[in-house]
Amino acid sequence: MKIYRFLTGDDTSAFCHKVTEALSKGWDLYGEPSYAYDSANGVMRCGQAVTKEADVAYSADLKLGQL
């Protein structure tokens, strides 16, 4: 089964580390990153979709970050 996650965070090195960690655990980038200005907090936010093949049955209770 192909698993999908959308990683989000402030546009900082911490977000880059989050994506790098996912890649090191076998996740693949899916599509282009997205950026948006959060005017309420005055920061740029970014997101990146990632996918991974996993040999599990789907359940809404899956902890995607632990696969």
Side-chain angles (χ1 to χ4, degrees):
M1 171 176 77
K2 186 171 273 201
I3 300 168
Y4 173 91
R5 292 174 64 197
F6 189 70
L7 306 174
T8 62
D10 291 350
D11 188 12
T12 65
S13 63
F15 177 76
C16 294
H17 285 281
K18 184 188 288 190
V19 173
T20 300
E21 179 182 21
L23 294 173
S24 74
K25 292 181 176 180
W27 293 84
D28 297 309
L29 297 177
Y30 182 82
E32 299 293 323
S34 60
Y35 297 92
Y37 183 68
D38 178 350
S39 60
N41 293 300
V43 297
M44 288 297 292
R45 303 247 184 213
C46 44
Q48 174 66 58
V50 292
T51 61
K52 182 179 185 178
E53 288 291 333
D55 190 23
V56 297
Y58 176 75
S59 167
D61 297 329
L62 283 175
K63 304 289 186 206
L64 300 177
Q66 295 176 358
L67 296 176

